[in-house]
Amino acid sequence: ADSSSSSSSDARSDEIWDRFARARRVLTGGFTSELALSFLHKNSDSDRLVMDALKKALEERGASRNSVLHNCAVSAHAYLNAGTTNDSFLRDHLDWMRKASNWAKFSATASLGVIHAGHTTEAMTLLEPYLPPSPPPRWGGP
């Protein structure tokens, strides 16, 4: 009889801790950000053909070398997919995205932040390919 009451109290304790963890997640904002991310991803209505047509038009006119127009196209992609985590166009055209230089490169990387806004759990993993490698730690000396 003693072991059954012990296991039922353990189950009750686990249930209480589970409820506590769920309440904490709701109160700290984790639950709402997960819901918003899920909603934006499921209800995204952006048309990839728009970006394909824009990229093609820029390349036909030789404007793909113009950093201002290139930056506009990358920014347009960010606005089309803001918060949806849908960066498939940029991933499929990494060579095109890498044409950016200086501030345009910064803006292109920032556009990934706009696309993945709210996806805090995987932020550094997603941005790692686009960020410079971190230097090895230095020991001693300036």
Side-chain angles (χ1 to χ4, degrees):
D2 217 12
S3 66
S4 68
S5 67
S6 171
S7 66
S8 73
S9 68
D10 287 346
R12 179 80 175 139
S13 177
D14 289 345
E15 181 182 338
I16 290 171
W17 281 108
D18 185 48
R19 285 183 179 181
F20 177 73
R22 281 189 275 158
R24 183 174 180 209
R25 199 171 108 226
V26 168
L27 292 173
T28 58
F31 184 68
T32 54
S33 65
E34 289 172 19
L35 283 177
L37 185 63
S38 175
F39 175 81
L40 288 171
H41 184 72
K42 287 178 183 175
N43 294 305
S44 174
D45 224 7
S46 67
D47 190 355
R48 184 184 169 114
L49 294 176
V50 170
M51 284 308 300
D52 286 332
L54 180 59
K55 179 181 175 289
K56 184 179 176 186
L58 289 175
E59 287 174 346
E60 286 174 355
R61 294 192 173 112
S64 64
R65 296 201 181 272
N66 185 334
S67 68
V68 173
L69 295 176
H70 182 272
N71 193 29
C72 289
V74 172
S75 297
H77 179 264
Y79 285 123
L80 283 170
N81 294 291
T84 65
T85 68
N86 180 7
D87 64 355
S88 61
F89 176 80
L90 292 180
R91 289 189 185 275
D92 292 346
H93 300 288
L94 279 175
D95 57 324
W96 180 74
M97 186 178 157
R98 287 190 180 119
K99 289 180 182 177
S101 61
N102 303 325
W103 280 106
K105 186 177 277 191
F106 174 78
S107 296
T109 305
S111 76
L112 287 168
V114 170
I115 293 168
H116 291 282
H119 199 210
T120 55
T121 56
E122 298 290 323
M124 291 309 291
T125 307
L126 292 165
L127 291 175
E128 191 174 0
Y130 307 100
L131 297 174
S134 56
R138 292 179 50 185
W139 299 98

